[in-house]
Amino acid sequence: MVRTPLTPEERERGERLGRLLREARGARSMADVAASAGISAETLRKIETGRAPTPAFFTVAALSTALGLSMDELIGRCAPPVPDVPGTPDASIAA
């Protein structure tokens, strides 16, 4: 199976996710957070550094739980802003 190359936007979103997770981890060790989430410290390291910019949904969900973040907060801080398009409903209302 050939994987489609990531777009610059996908790479940037992965970098934003990594920064957010690093900030939320604070002084906790990478090993402690990874163990709490049920993943390896190496997987967490790859996500935090942007080397794994598209982690699996359940990995992100486990990390959000381990770090006390809501999925809504992760999406809000990692997803690119939705541009305003005249004549369309507000994106926050449509979602």
Side-chain angles (χ1 to χ4, degrees), residues 11-32:
R11 285 192 295 276
E12 175 59 32
R13 185 178 57 225
E15 290 169 7
R16 284 192 302 271
L17 174 63
R19 283 191 300 271
L20 175 59
L21 294 176
R22 266 193 315 277
E23 289 171 14
R25 184 166 55 83
R28 291 177 64 185
S29 77
M30 194 174 285
D32 286 343

Side-chain angles (χ1 to χ4, degrees), residues 7-89:
T7 65
E9 292 80 18
E10 289 170 323
R11 285 192 295 276
E12 175 59 32
R13 185 178 57 225
E15 290 169 7
R16 284 192 302 271
L17 174 63
R19 283 191 300 271
L20 175 59
L21 294 176
R22 266 193 315 277
E23 289 171 14
R25 184 166 55 83
R28 291 177 64 185
S29 77
M30 194 174 285
D32 286 343
V33 172
S36 293
I39 63 172
S40 71
E42 182 59 23
T43 296
L44 179 55
R45 182 181 342 277
K46 286 178 181 178
I47 295 168
E48 284 189 359
T49 60
R51 289 187 2 234
T54 58
F57 172 81
F58 290 104
T59 300
V60 176
L63 284 168
S64 72
T65 299
L67 293 169
L69 298 169
S70 73
M71 291 296 284
D72 287 337
E73 182 178 0
L74 284 175
I75 291 168
R77 293 184 57 190
C78 293
V82 177
D84 288 331
V85 178
T88 60

